[in-house]
Coordinates of all heavy atoms in Angstrom, one line a residue:
A1027 N 103.9 -175.2 -38.4 CA 102.4 -175.2 -38.6 C 101.8 -175.5 -37.2 O 102.4 -176.2 -36.4 CB 101.9 -176.3 -39.6
K1028 N 100.6 -175.0 -37.0 CA 99.8 -175.3 -35.8 C 98.5 -175.9 -36.2 O 98.0 -175.7 -37.2 CB 99.5 -174.0 -35.0 CG 100.8 -173.3 -34.5 CD 101.2 -174.0 -33.3 CE 102.4 -173.2 -32.6 NZ 103.1 -173.9 -31.6
Y1029 N 98.0 -176.7 -35.2 CA 96.7 -177.3 -35.4 C 95.8 -176.9 -34.2 O 96.3 -176.6 -33.2 CB 96.8 -178.9 -35.4 CG 97.6 -179.4 -36.5 CD1 99.0 -179.5 -36.5 CD2 97.0 -179.9 -37.7 CE1 99.8 -179.9 -37.5 CE2 97.7 -180.3 -38.7 CZ 99.1 -180.4 -38.7 OH 99.9 -180.8 -39.7
T1030 N 94.5 -176.7 -34.5 CA 93.6 -176.3 -33.5 C 92.3 -177.0 -33.5 O 91.9 -177.5 -34.6 CB 93.4 -174.8 -33.5 OG1 92.6 -174.3 -32.4 CG2 92.7 -174.4 -34.8
I1031 N 91.7 -177.2 -32.3 CA 90.4 -177.8 -32.2 C 89.8 -177.2 -31.0 O 90.5 -176.8 -30.0 CB 90.6 -179.3 -32.1 CG1 89.2 -180.0 -32.3 CG2 91.1 -179.7 -30.7 CD1 89.3 -181.6 -32.5
V1032 N 88.4 -177.1 -31.0 CA 87.7 -176.5 -29.9 C 87.2 -177.7 -29.0 O 86.5 -178.6 -29.6 CB 86.5 -175.6 -30.3 CG1 85.7 -175.2 -29.1 CG2 87.0 -174.4 -31.1
D1033 N 87.4 -177.6 -27.8 CA 86.8 -178.6 -26.8 C 85.4 -178.1 -26.6 O 85.1 -177.2 -25.8 CB 87.6 -178.7 -25.5 CG 86.9 -179.8 -24.7 OD1 85.8 -180.2 -24.9 OD2 87.7 -180.2 -23.7
Q1034 N 84.4 -178.7 -27.3 CA 83.0 -178.2 -27.3 C 82.3 -178.6 -26.0 O 81.3 -178.1 -25.7 CB 82.3 -178.7 -28.5 CG 82.9 -178.1 -29.8 CD 82.1 -178.4 -31.0 OE1 81.7 -179.6 -31.2 NE2 81.9 -177.4 -31.9
D1035 N 82.9 -179.5 -25.2 CA 82.3 -179.8 -23.9 C 82.6 -178.7 -22.9 O 81.8 -178.6 -21.9 CB 82.9 -181.1 -23.4 CG 82.5 -182.3 -24.3 OD1 81.4 -182.2 -24.9 OD2 83.3 -183.3 -24.3
T1036 N 83.6 -177.9 -23.1 CA 83.9 -176.9 -22.1 C 83.7 -175.5 -22.6 O 83.7 -174.6 -21.8 CB 85.4 -177.0 -21.6 OG1 86.2 -176.9 -22.7 CG2 85.7 -178.4 -20.9
C1037 N 83.4 -175.4 -23.9 CA 83.2 -174.0 -24.5 C 81.9 -173.5 -23.9 O 80.9 -174.2 -23.7 CB 83.0 -174.2 -26.0 SG 82.4 -172.7 -26.8
I1038 N 82.0 -172.2 -23.4 CA 80.8 -171.6 -22.8 C 80.1 -170.6 -23.7 O 79.3 -169.7 -23.3 CB 81.2 -170.9 -21.5 CG1 82.3 -169.9 -21.7 CG2 81.7 -171.9 -20.4 CD1 82.6 -168.9 -20.5
A1039 N 80.4 -170.6 -25.0 CA 79.8 -169.8 -26.0 C 79.9 -168.3 -25.7 O 79.0 -167.6 -25.9 CB 78.3 -170.2 -26.1
C1040 N 81.1 -167.9 -25.3 CA 81.3 -166.5 -25.0 C 81.5 -165.7 -26.2 O 81.3 -164.4 -26.2 CB 82.4 -166.3 -24.0 SG 84.0 -166.6 -24.8
G1041 N 82.1 -166.3 -27.3 CA 82.2 -165.5 -28.5 C 83.6 -164.9 -28.7 O 83.9 -164.3 -29.8
A1042 N 84.5 -165.1 -27.7 CA 85.8 -164.4 -27.8 C 86.7 -164.9 -28.9 O 87.4 -164.1 -29.6 CB 86.5 -164.5 -26.5
C1043 N 86.7 -166.2 -29.2 CA 87.6 -166.7 -30.1 C 87.4 -166.2 -31.5 O 88.4 -165.9 -32.2 CB 87.6 -168.3 -30.1 SG 86.0 -169.0 -30.3
A1044 N 86.2 -166.2 -32.0 CA 85.9 -165.8 -33.4 C 86.1 -164.3 -33.5 O 86.2 -163.8 -34.7 CB 84.6 -166.2 -33.8
I1045 N 86.1 -163.5 -32.5 CA 86.5 -162.1 -32.6 C 88.0 -162.0 -32.8 O 88.5 -161.3 -33.6 CB 86.0 -161.3 -31.3 CG1 84.5 -161.3 -31.3 CG2 86.6 -159.9 -31.3 CD1 83.8 -160.8 -30.0
A1046 N 88.7 -162.8 -32.0 CA 90.2 -162.8 -32.1 C 90.6 -163.4 -33.4 O 91.6 -163.0 -34.0 CB 90.8 -163.5 -30.9
A1047 N 90.0 -164.4 -33.8 CA 90.4 -165.2 -35.1 C 89.2 -165.6 -35.9 O 88.8 -166.7 -36.0 CB 91.1 -166.4 -34.6
P1048 N 88.6 -164.5 -36.6 CA 87.4 -164.8 -37.5 C 87.7 -165.7 -38.6 O 86.8 -166.3 -39.2 CB 87.0 -163.4 -37.9 CG 88.3 -162.6 -37.8 CD 89.0 -163.2 -36.6
D1049 N 89.0 -165.9 -39.0 CA 89.2 -166.8 -40.1 C 89.3 -168.3 -39.6 O 89.3 -169.2 -40.5 CB 90.6 -166.5 -40.7 CG 90.6 -165.1 -41.3 OD1 89.6 -164.7 -42.0 OD2 91.5 -164.3 -41.1
L1050 N 89.4 -168.4 -38.3 CA 89.7 -169.8 -37.8 C 88.5 -170.4 -37.0 O 88.4 -171.6 -37.0 CB 90.9 -169.8 -36.9 CG 92.2 -169.3 -37.5 CD1 93.3 -169.2 -36.5 CD2 92.6 -170.4 -38.5
F1051 N 87.6 -169.5 -36.5 CA 86.6 -170.0 -35.6 C 85.2 -169.4 -36.0 O 85.2 -168.2 -36.4 CB 86.9 -169.8 -34.1 CG 88.1 -170.4 -33.7 CD1 89.3 -169.6 -33.5 CD2 88.2 -171.8 -33.5 CE1 90.5 -170.2 -33.1 CE2 89.4 -172.3 -33.1 CZ 90.5 -171.5 -32.9
D1052 N 84.2 -170.2 -35.8 CA 82.8 -169.7 -35.9 C 82.0 -170.4 -34.9 O 82.4 -171.3 -34.2 CB 82.3 -169.9 -37.4 CG 81.2 -168.9 -37.7 OD1 80.7 -168.2 -36.9 OD2 80.7 -169.0 -38.9
Y1053 N 80.7 -170.0 -34.9 CA 79.8 -170.6 -33.8 C 78.7 -171.4 -34.5 O 78.2 -171.0 -35.5 CB 79.2 -169.6 -32.9 CG 80.1 -168.5 -32.5 CD1 80.0 -167.2 -33.0 CD2 81.3 -168.8 -31.8 CE1 80.9 -166.2 -32.7 CE2 82.1 -167.8 -31.4 CZ 82.0 -166.5 -31.9 OH 82.9 -165.5 -31.6
D1054 N 78.2 -172.5 -33.8 CA 77.0 -173.2 -34.3 C 75.8 -172.5 -33.8 O 75.9 -171.4 -33.2 CB 77.2 -174.7 -33.9 CG 77.0 -174.9 -32.4 OD1 76.6 -173.9 -31.7 OD2 77.3 -176.0 -31.9
D1055 N 74.7 -173.1 -34.0 CA 73.4 -172.5 -33.7 C 73.2 -172.1 -32.2 O 72.5 -171.2 -31.8 CB 72.2 -173.4 -34.1 CG 72.1 -173.5 -35.6 OD1 72.7 -172.7 -36.3 OD2 71.4 -174.4 -36.0
E1056 N 74.0 -172.8 -31.4 CA 73.9 -172.6 -29.9 C 75.0 -171.8 -29.4 O 75.2 -171.6 -28.2 CB 73.9 -174.0 -29.2 CG 72.6 -174.8 -29.5 CD 72.6 -176.1 -28.9 OE1 73.6 -176.7 -28.5 OE2 71.4 -176.6 -28.7
G1057 N 75.8 -171.2 -30.4 CA 76.9 -170.4 -30.0 C 78.2 -171.1 -29.6 O 79.2 -170.5 -29.2
I1058 N 78.2 -172.4 -29.7 CA 79.4 -173.2 -29.4 C 80.3 -173.0 -30.6 O 80.0 -173.2 -31.7 CB 79.0 -174.7 -29.2 CG1 78.0 -174.8 -28.0 CG2 80.3 -175.5 -28.9 CD1 78.5 -174.3 -26.7
S1059 N 81.6 -172.8 -30.2 CA 82.6 -172.5 -31.3 C 83.1 -173.8 -31.9 O 83.0 -174.9 -31.3 CB 83.8 -171.9 -30.6 OG 84.9 -171.7 -31.5
F1060 N 83.5 -173.7 -33.2 CA 84.1 -174.8 -33.9 C 85.2 -174.3 -34.8 O 85.2 -173.1 -35.2 CB 83.1 -175.7 -34.7 CG 82.4 -174.9 -35.8 CD1 82.9 -175.0 -37.1 CD2 81.3 -174.2 -35.5 CE1 82.3 -174.3 -38.1 CE2 80.6 -173.5 -36.6 CZ 81.1 -173.5 -37.9
G1061 N 86.2 -175.1 -35.1 CA 87.2 -174.7 -36.0 C 86.7 -174.7 -37.4 O 86.1 -175.6 -37.9
L1062 N 86.9 -173.5 -38.1 CA 86.4 -173.3 -39.4 C 87.1 -174.1 -40.5 O 86.5 -174.5 -41.5 CB 86.5 -171.8 -39.8 CG 85.3 -170.9 -39.6 CD1 85.6 -169.5 -40.0 CD2 84.0 -171.4 -40.4
L1063 N 88.4 -174.3 -40.3 CA 89.2 -174.8 -41.4 C 88.8 -176.3 -41.8 O 88.9 -176.6 -42.9 CB 90.7 -174.8 -41.0 CG 91.3 -173.4 -40.8 CD1 92.8 -173.6 -40.5 CD2 91.1 -172.6 -42.0
D1064 N 88.4 -177.0 -40.8 CA 88.1 -178.4 -41.0 C 87.0 -179.0 -40.2 O 86.9 -180.1 -39.9 CB 89.4 -179.3 -40.8 CG 90.0 -179.1 -39.4 OD1 89.2 -178.5 -38.6 OD2 91.1 -179.5 -39.2
N1065 N 86.0 -178.0 -39.9 CA 84.8 -178.4 -39.2 C 85.2 -179.0 -37.8 O 84.7 -180.0 -37.4 CB 83.9 -179.4 -40.0 CG 82.5 -179.3 -39.4 OD1 82.1 -178.4 -38.8 ND2 81.7 -180.3 -39.8
N1066 N 86.2 -178.4 -37.2 CA 86.6 -178.8 -35.9 C 87.2 -180.2 -35.8 O 87.0 -180.9 -34.8 CB 85.5 -178.7 -34.8 CG 86.0 -178.3 -33.5 OD1 86.9 -177.5 -33.4 ND2 85.5 -178.9 -32.5
K1067 N 87.9 -180.6 -36.8 CA 88.5 -181.9 -36.8 C 90.0 -181.8 -36.2 O 90.5 -182.8 -35.8 CB 88.6 -182.6 -38.2 CG 87.2 -183.0 -38.6 CD 87.3 -183.8 -39.9 CE 85.9 -184.3 -40.4 NZ 85.1 -183.2 -40.9
G1068 N 90.6 -180.7 -36.3 CA 91.9 -180.5 -35.8 C 93.0 -181.1 -36.6 O 94.1 -181.5 -36.1
I1069 N 92.7 -181.2 -37.9 CA 93.7 -181.9 -38.8 C 94.3 -181.0 -39.9 O 95.2 -181.4 -40.6 CB 93.1 -183.1 -39.4 CG1 91.8 -182.8 -40.2 CG2 92.8 -184.2 -38.4 CD1 91.2 -184.0 -41.0
T1070 N 93.7 -179.8 -40.0 CA 94.2 -178.9 -41.0 C 95.2 -177.9 -40.5 O 95.0 -177.2 -39.6 CB 93.0 -178.1 -41.7 OG1 92.1 -179.0 -42.2 CG2 93.5 -177.1 -42.8
P1071 N 96.5 -178.0 -41.0 CA 97.5 -177.1 -40.5 C 97.3 -175.6 -40.7 O 96.8 -175.2 -41.8 CB 98.8 -177.6 -41.2 CG 98.3 -178.2 -42.5 CD 96.9 -178.8 -42.1
V1072 N 97.5 -174.8 -39.7 CA 97.6 -173.4 -39.9 C 99.0 -173.0 -40.2 O 99.9 -173.2 -39.3 CB 97.1 -172.6 -38.6 CG1 97.0 -171.1 -38.8 CG2 95.7 -173.2 -38.2
V1073 N 99.3 -172.5 -41.4 CA 100.7 -172.3 -41.8 C 101.0 -170.8 -41.9 O 102.1 -170.3 -41.6 CB 101.0 -173.0 -43.1 CG1 101.1 -174.5 -42.8 CG2 100.1 -172.6 -44.2
D1074 N 99.9 -170.0 -42.2 CA 100.2 -168.5 -42.4 C 100.5 -167.9 -41.1 O 99.8 -168.1 -40.1 CB 98.9 -168.0 -43.0 CG 99.0 -166.5 -43.3 OD1 99.4 -166.2 -44.5 OD2 98.7 -165.7 -42.5
E1075 N 101.6 -167.0 -41.1 CA 102.1 -166.4 -39.9 C 100.9 -165.6 -39.2 O 100.8 -165.6 -38.0 CB 103.2 -165.5 -40.2 CG 104.5 -166.2 -40.5 CD 105.3 -166.7 -39.3 OE1 105.0 -166.2 -38.2 OE2 106.1 -167.6 -39.5
E1076 N 100.2 -164.8 -40.0 CA 99.2 -164.0 -39.4 C 98.1 -164.8 -38.8 O 97.5 -164.4 -37.8 CB 98.6 -163.0 -40.5 CG 99.6 -161.9 -40.8 CD 99.0 -160.9 -41.9 OE1 97.8 -160.9 -42.0 OE2 99.8 -160.3 -42.5
M1077 N 97.7 -165.9 -39.5 CA 96.7 -166.8 -38.9 C 97.2 -167.4 -37.6 O 96.4 -167.6 -36.7 CB 96.4 -167.9 -40.0 CG 95.8 -167.3 -41.2 SD 94.0 -167.3 -41.2 CE 93.7 -169.0 -41.9
I1078 N 98.5 -167.8 -37.5 CA 99.0 -168.3 -36.3 C 98.9 -167.3 -35.2 O 98.6 -167.6 -34.1 CB 100.4 -168.9 -36.5 CG1 100.4 -170.2 -37.4 CG2 101.1 -169.2 -35.2 CD1 101.7 -170.7 -37.8
D1079 N 99.2 -166.1 -35.5 CA 99.0 -165.0 -34.5 C 97.6 -164.9 -34.1 O 97.3 -164.8 -32.9 CB 99.4 -163.6 -35.1 CG 101.0 -163.5 -35.2 OD1 101.7 -164.3 -34.6 OD2 101.4 -162.5 -35.8
E1080 N 96.6 -165.0 -35.0 CA 95.2 -165.0 -34.6 C 94.9 -166.1 -33.7 O 94.2 -166.0 -32.7 CB 94.3 -165.1 -35.9 CG 94.1 -163.8 -36.6 CD 93.0 -164.0 -37.7 OE1 92.2 -164.9 -37.6 OE2 93.0 -163.2 -38.7
L1081 N 95.4 -167.3 -34.1 CA 95.1 -168.5 -33.3 C 95.6 -168.3 -31.9 O 94.9 -168.6 -30.9 CB 95.8 -169.7 -33.9 CG 95.8 -171.0 -33.2 CD1 94.4 -171.4 -32.8 CD2 96.5 -172.1 -34.0
E1082 N 96.8 -167.8 -31.8 CA 97.4 -167.6 -30.4 C 96.6 -166.5 -29.6 O 96.4 -166.7 -28.4 CB 98.9 -167.2 -30.5 CG 99.7 -168.4 -30.9 CD 101.2 -168.1 -31.2 OE1 101.5 -166.9 -31.3 OE2 102.0 -169.0 -31.3
D1083 N 96.0 -165.5 -30.3 CA 95.2 -164.6 -29.6 C 93.9 -165.3 -29.1 O 93.5 -165.0 -28.0 CB 94.8 -163.4 -30.6 CG 95.9 -162.5 -30.8 OD1 96.9 -162.5 -30.1 OD2 95.8 -161.6 -31.7
A1084 N 93.3 -166.1 -30.0 CA 92.1 -166.8 -29.6 C 92.4 -167.7 -28.4 O 91.6 -167.8 -27.4 CB 91.6 -167.6 -30.8
Y1085 N 93.5 -168.4 -28.5 CA 93.9 -169.4 -27.5 C 94.0 -168.6 -26.1 O 93.5 -169.1 -25.1 CB 95.2 -169.9 -27.8 CG 95.8 -170.9 -26.8 CD1 95.5 -172.2 -26.8 CD2 96.8 -170.5 -26.0 CE1 96.1 -173.1 -25.9 CE2 97.4 -171.3 -25.1 CZ 97.1 -172.7 -25.1 OH 97.6 -173.5 -24.1
E1086 N 94.6 -167.4 -26.1 CA 94.8 -166.7 -24.9 C 93.5 -166.0 -24.4 O 93.3 -165.8 -23.2 CB 95.9 -165.6 -25.1 CG 97.2 -166.3 -25.1 CD 98.4 -165.3 -25.6 OE1 98.1 -164.1 -25.7 OE2 99.4 -165.8 -25.9
S1087 N 92.6 -165.8 -25.4 CA 91.4 -165.0 -25.0 C 90.2 -165.9 -24.5 O 89.3 -165.5 -23.9 CB 90.9 -164.2 -26.1 OG 90.5 -165.0 -27.2
C1088 N 90.4 -167.2 -24.7 CA 89.3 -168.2 -24.3 C 89.3 -168.3 -22.8 O 90.2 -168.8 -22.2 CB 89.5 -169.5 -24.9 SG 88.2 -170.7 -24.4
P1089 N 88.2 -168.0 -22.2 CA 88.1 -168.0 -20.7 C 88.0 -169.4 -20.1 O 88.2 -169.6 -18.9 CB 86.8 -167.2 -20.4 CG 86.0 -167.3 -21.6 CD 86.9 -167.4 -22.7
S1090 N 87.7 -170.4 -20.9 CA 87.5 -171.7 -20.4 C 88.6 -172.7 -21.0 O 88.4 -173.9 -20.8 CB 86.1 -172.3 -20.8 OG 85.9 -172.3 -22.2
N1091 N 89.6 -172.1 -21.5 CA 90.7 -172.9 -22.1 C 90.2 -174.0 -23.1 O 90.7 -175.1 -23.1 CB 91.5 -173.6 -21.0 CG 92.2 -172.5 -20.1 OD1 92.7 -171.5 -20.7 ND2 92.3 -172.7 -18.8
S1092 N 89.2 -173.6 -23.9 CA 88.6 -174.6 -24.7 C 89.3 -174.7 -26.1 O 89.1 -175.6 -26.9 CB 87.1 -174.4 -25.0 OG 86.4 -174.4 -23.8
I1093 N 90.0 -173.6 -26.4 CA 90.8 -173.6 -27.6 C 92.1 -174.4 -27.4 O 92.9 -174.1 -26.6 CB 91.2 -172.2 -28.1 CG1 90.0 -171.2 -28.2 CG2 92.0 -172.2 -29.3 CD1 89.2 -171.5 -29.4
Q1094 N 92.2 -175.5 -28.2 CA 93.4 -176.3 -28.0 C 94.3 -176.1 -29.2 O 93.8 -175.9 -30.3 CB 93.0 -177.8 -28.0 CG 91.9 -177.9 -26.9 CD 91.8 -179.4 -26.3 OE1 92.6 -180.2 -26.7 NE2 90.9 -179.5 -25.4
M1095 N 95.5 -176.1 -28.9 CA 96.6 -175.8 -30.0 C 97.7 -176.8 -29.9 O 98.1 -177.1 -28.7 CB 97.0 -174.3 -29.7 CG 97.9 -173.7 -30.8 SD 98.0 -172.0 -30.6 CE 98.9 -171.9 -29.0
S1096 N 98.2 -177.3 -31.0 CA 99.2 -178.2 -31.0 C 100.1 -178.1 -32.2 O 99.7 -177.6 -33.3 CB 98.7 -179.7 -30.9 OG 99.6 -180.6 -31.0
D1097 N 101.3 -178.7 -32.1 CA 102.2 -178.8 -33.3 C 101.8 -180.0 -34.1 O 102.3 -180.2 -35.3 CB 103.6 -178.9 -32.9 CG 104.1 -177.5 -32.3 OD1 103.5 -176.5 -32.6 OD2 105.1 -177.6 -31.5
E1098 N 101.0 -180.9 -33.6 CA 100.6 -182.1 -34.3 C 99.1 -182.1 -34.5 O 98.4 -181.5 -33.8 CB 100.9 -183.3 -33.4 CG 102.4 -183.4 -32.9 CD 103.3 -183.8 -34.0 OE1 102.9 -184.5 -35.0 OE2 104.5 -183.4 -34.0
P1099 N 98.6 -182.8 -35.6 CA 97.2 -182.9 -35.8 C 96.5 -183.6 -34.6 O 97.2 -184.5 -33.9 CB 97.1 -183.9 -37.0 CG 98.4 -183.8 -37.6 CD 99.4 -183.5 -36.6
F1100 N 95.3 -183.2 -34.3 CA 94.6 -183.8 -33.2 C 94.0 -185.2 -33.4 O 93.7 -186.0 -32.6 CB 93.5 -182.9 -32.7 CG 94.0 -181.7 -32.0 CD1 94.4 -180.6 -32.6 CD2 94.2 -181.8 -30.6 CE1 94.9 -179.5 -31.9 CE2 94.7 -180.7 -29.9 CZ 95.1 -179.6 -30.5
S1101 N 93.9 -185.6 -34.7 CA 93.6 -187.0 -35.1 C 94.2 -187.2 -36.4 O 94.4 -186.3 -37.2 CB 92.1 -187.1 -35.1 OG 91.5 -186.3 -36.1
S1102 N 94.4 -188.5 -36.7 CA 95.0 -188.8 -38.0 C 93.9 -188.9 -39.0 O 92.7 -189.1 -38.7 CB 95.7 -190.1 -37.9 OG 94.8 -191.2 -37.8
E1103 N 94.3 -188.7 -40.3 CA 93.3 -188.8 -41.4 C 92.7 -190.2 -41.3 O 91.6 -190.4 -41.7 CB 94.1 -188.6 -42.7 CG 94.8 -187.3 -42.8 CD 93.9 -186.2 -43.3 OE1 92.7 -186.4 -43.6 OE2 94.4 -185.0 -43.4
K1104 N 93.6 -191.2 -41.0 CA 93.1 -192.6 -41.0 C 91.9 -192.8 -40.0 O 90.9 -193.4 -40.3 CB 94.3 -193.5 -40.6 CG 94.2 -194.9 -41.1 CD 95.5 -195.6 -40.7 CE 95.4 -197.1 -40.9 NZ 96.6 -197.8 -40.3
E1105 N 92.1 -192.2 -38.8 CA 91.0 -192.3 -37.8 C 89.8 -191.6 -38.3 O 88.7 -192.1 -38.1 CB 91.5 -191.6 -36.5 CG 92.3 -192.5 -35.6 CD 92.9 -191.8 -34.5 OE1 92.9 -190.5 -34.5 OE2 93.4 -192.4 -33.5
E1106 N 90.0 -190.5 -39.0 CA 88.8 -189.7 -39.6 C 88.1 -190.6 -40.5 O 86.9 -190.5 -40.6 CB 89.3 -188.5 -40.3 CG 89.7 -187.4 -39.3 CD 88.6 -187.0 -38.3 OE1 87.5 -186.8 -38.8 OE2 88.9 -186.9 -37.1
A1107 N 88.8 -191.4 -41.3 CA 88.1 -192.2 -42.3 C 87.3 -193.4 -41.8 O 86.4 -193.8 -42.4 CB 89.2 -192.7 -43.3
S1108 N 87.7 -193.9 -40.6 CA 87.1 -195.1 -40.1 C 85.8 -194.7 -39.4 O 85.5 -193.6 -39.1 CB 88.1 -195.8 -39.2 OG 88.2 -195.0 -38.0
Ligands
SF4_404 FE1 84.0 -171.1 -26.5 FE2 86.4 -170.3 -25.7 FE3 85.5 -169.5 -28.1 FE4 84.4 -168.6 -25.8 S1 86.6 -168.2 -26.5 S2 83.3 -169.3 -27.7 S3 84.5 -170.4 -24.5 S4 86.0 -171.7 -27.4

């Protein structure tokens, strides 16, 4: 499984990620991207092979390296709850 989160501080609202991975990313009112699966918390695993391919496409297509990808969740559920 892969986990993903958008670094919204560096996102330049170019739109590339949601074209590459429309199931995984969308944009807010200002065009800044966020992870669709868990509202950009980085805790929901992407398990489907095709979705992981999409994620890797988005990761590679982001011009500002704002798409982050990891084998581990970006924050624990416990931290989310506090
Ligand atoms: Fe932002 Fe990168 Fe997505 Fe462009 S590809 S909207 S810079 S996260």
